Amino acid sequence: QQGNSLYEKKDYEGALEKYTLAMGYVPSDPILFSNRAACLLSMGKPHRALKDSLRVIQLNPSFPRGYMRCGKCYMLIGELAKAREMYTQGLEICQRQPKERERSNECLKQVNEIKDMENRLSSLPATPTSIQEVQTIIRTLLSIKDHCTNWR
């Protein structure tokens, strides 16, 4: 509860400490790993958040938030195919759980966004032969950069 309160106040460092401390007492609680991953994501540390998110899935494969956090991590580090795969798995789990309708919609939205980005990237020429093609590549990458921090 202390970690959640700190997280709500955007004290991500403090919340991170509390979740980490709690993990010492309950090392197999997927919610703690999920919450710590959320802190790490909010702190701009997607690689560390990915480790916790993967642990969430390992501890509870039917917990959709683990897949959603993994998807976000992969997206931020620029691994779109893995991000799409995680959001797709999260969507499948959400669809089997009536209480997860809102998360189901979020997963579907992310899958569609990633597909759109993949389509835009796949349409780019591998070797530009004109200034116009270079400009198209730059515009496309700039339109995607906000989703993938490794591309900034």
Side-chain angles (χ1 to χ4, degrees), residues 77-136:
I77 60 178
E79 295 190 34
L80 296 179
K82 287 182 180 180
R84 181 175 28 82
E85 179 184 326
M86 286 295 157
Y87 279 116
T88 300
Q89 288 179 12
L91 177 61
E92 291 169 4
I93 290 166
C94 287
Q95 290 173 336
R96 291 189 298 251
Q97 300 176 14
K99 294 184 295 184
E100 298 292 351
R101 186 139 183 86
E102 189 175 318
R103 285 196 177 91
S104 176
N105 292 336
E106 177 63 22
C107 286
L108 183 58
K109 177 184 169 204
Q110 293 300 326
V111 167
N112 289 333
E113 267 187 44
I114 293 167
K115 284 180 180 178
D116 179 58
M117 285 188 276
E118 289 174 324
N119 287 337
R120 286 188 278 160
L121 289 170
S122 68
S123 70
L124 296 176
T127 307
T129 58
S130 69
I131 292 292
Q132 290 80 11
E133 286 182 346
V134 170
Q135 290 172 334
T136 299

Side-chain angles (χ1 to χ4, degrees), residues 8-50:
E8 287 175 15
K9 295 175 187 173
K10 299 188 187 305
D11 179 359
Y12 304 122
E13 291 278 348
L16 182 73
E17 287 179 31
K18 294 296 181 185
Y19 294 135
T20 302
L21 181 65
M23 286 173 177
Y25 296 101
V26 190
S28 60
D29 184 348
I31 304 286
L32 292 173
F33 281 92
S34 179
N35 290 349
R36 190 168 75 172
C39 287
L40 291 164
L41 280 166
S42 295
M43 295 165 64
K45 299 179 179 184
H47 289 92
R48 286 184 55 199
L50 179 59

Side-chain angles (χ1 to χ4, degrees), residues 30-83:
I31 304 286
L32 292 173
F33 281 92
S34 179
N35 290 349
R36 190 168 75 172
C39 287
L40 291 164
L41 280 166
S42 295
M43 295 165 64
K45 299 179 179 184
H47 289 92
R48 286 184 55 199
L50 179 59
K51 289 179 185 176
D52 278 359
S53 300
L54 289 168
R55 183 77 172 124
V56 171
I57 294 168
Q58 183 182 34
L59 292 169
N60 186 353
S62 64
F63 186 55
R65 215 172 309 167
Y67 296 92
M68 293 174 75
R69 297 225 199 282
C70 276
K72 185 169 186 173
C73 292
Y74 280 128
M75 196 158 164
L76 289 171
I77 60 178
E79 295 190 34
L80 296 179
K82 287 182 180 180

